[in-house]
């Protein structure tokens, strides 16, 4: 198969959708999304000299997101909701276990071409954090770090080229992404 020469430079993330259990919640006010995947370096030495080196993906990685997100979604992702507390009260502590969720996104290049991205097994990497600056001229975005892991297919991150994707994948991606949706028939 020949290598395509079409260039897609990620320029803007316009929408993210969090799928938590059976519920979905869009995030549209995004400042930035940074992704870093983890790799393993495997080397083969011959008489003390590296003779061969391979880099392999682990399927895991980290996302750093700055955005304005719904408060209820933030509280649920940080495991701050508890039936031990009165209505309207949230808390974070020893019983706060961050839930797994799926994150999907719409990414555009500078020419308005779109691609879809998904991370099927995500969890918040850190607890709640905030910084309030009195007198600031801009409302600060939340900064969160999300860890992702491989799913049952062995992949932690998916991308979809809309020019090549089937209609079922395009239609279900944002709200109903699952590893089964993108797995080829055996």
């Amino acid at each position: 198969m020949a290598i395509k020469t079409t260039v897609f430079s990620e320029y803007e993330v316009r929408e993210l959708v969090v799928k938590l259990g059976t519920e979905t919640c869009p995030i549209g006010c995004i400042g930035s999304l940074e992704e870093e995947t983890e790799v393993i370096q495997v080397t083969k030495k011959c008489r003390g000299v590296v003779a061969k080196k391979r880099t392999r993906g682990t399927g895991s990685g980290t996302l750093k997101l700055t955005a304005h997100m719904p408060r209820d979604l933030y509280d649920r992702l940080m495991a701050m909701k508890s039936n031990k507390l009165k209505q309207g009260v949230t808390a974070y502590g020893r019983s706060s276990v961050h839930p797994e969720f799926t994150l999907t996104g719409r990414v555009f290049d500078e020419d308005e071409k779109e691609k879809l991205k998904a991370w099927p097994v995500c969890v918040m990497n850190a607890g709640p954090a905030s910084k309030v600056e009195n007198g600031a001229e801009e409302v600060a975005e939340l900064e969160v770090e999300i860890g992702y892991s491989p799913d049952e297919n062995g992949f932690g991150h998916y991308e979809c080229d809309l020019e090549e994707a089937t209609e079922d994948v395009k239609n279900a991606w944002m709200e109903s992404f699952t590893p089964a949706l993108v797995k080829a028939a055996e």
Side-chain angles (χ1 to χ4, degrees), residues 62-138:
T62 304
L63 300 170
K64 292 180 183 174
L65 171 66
T66 61
H68 295 288
M69 77 172 59
R71 180 67 198 196
D72 187 56
L73 175 63
Y74 180 81
D75 290 346
R76 290 177 67 190
L77 293 177
M78 291 296 183
M80 294 176 64
K81 298 263 184 181
S82 174
N83 56 9
K84 297 177 184 178
L85 301 171
K86 289 188 176 182
Q87 183 176 338
V89 178
T90 59
Y92 190 82
R94 290 188 300 233
S95 63
S96 299
V97 178
H98 298 195
E100 258 186 25
F101 61 94
T102 297
L103 183 66
T104 56
R106 294 184 188 282
V107 180
F108 293 81
D109 74 0
E110 71 279 7
D111 296 319
E112 295 294 313
K113 290 184 182 160
E114 178 183 6
K115 83 173 165 183
L116 303 174
K117 296 180 95 168
W119 301 268
V121 183
C122 295
V123 69
M124 292 299 214
N125 269 358
S130 64
K131 178 182 176 184
V132 178
E133 181 183 339
N134 288 341
E137 293 182 11
E138 184 177 339

Side-chain angles (χ1 to χ4, degrees), residues 12-73:
E12 185 177 25
V13 180
R14 294 199 186 147
E15 179 186 16
L16 294 172
V17 174
V18 173
K19 181 179 170 193
L20 186 57
T22 59
E23 298 180 79
T24 59
C25 184
I27 301 172
C29 194
I30 303 156
S32 65
L33 180 64
E34 182 180 334
E35 179 180 13
E36 185 175 341
T37 57
E38 295 175 6
V39 296
I40 297 172
Q41 291 278 332
V42 178
T43 58
K44 179 179 181 179
K45 291 185 178 182
C46 183
R47 295 189 311 258
V49 177
V50 175
K52 187 177 188 180
K53 188 184 284 191
R54 292 287 181 260
T55 303
R56 297 176 189 253
T58 66
S60 297
T62 304
L63 300 170
K64 292 180 183 174
L65 171 66
T66 61
H68 295 288
M69 77 172 59
R71 180 67 198 196
D72 187 56
L73 175 63

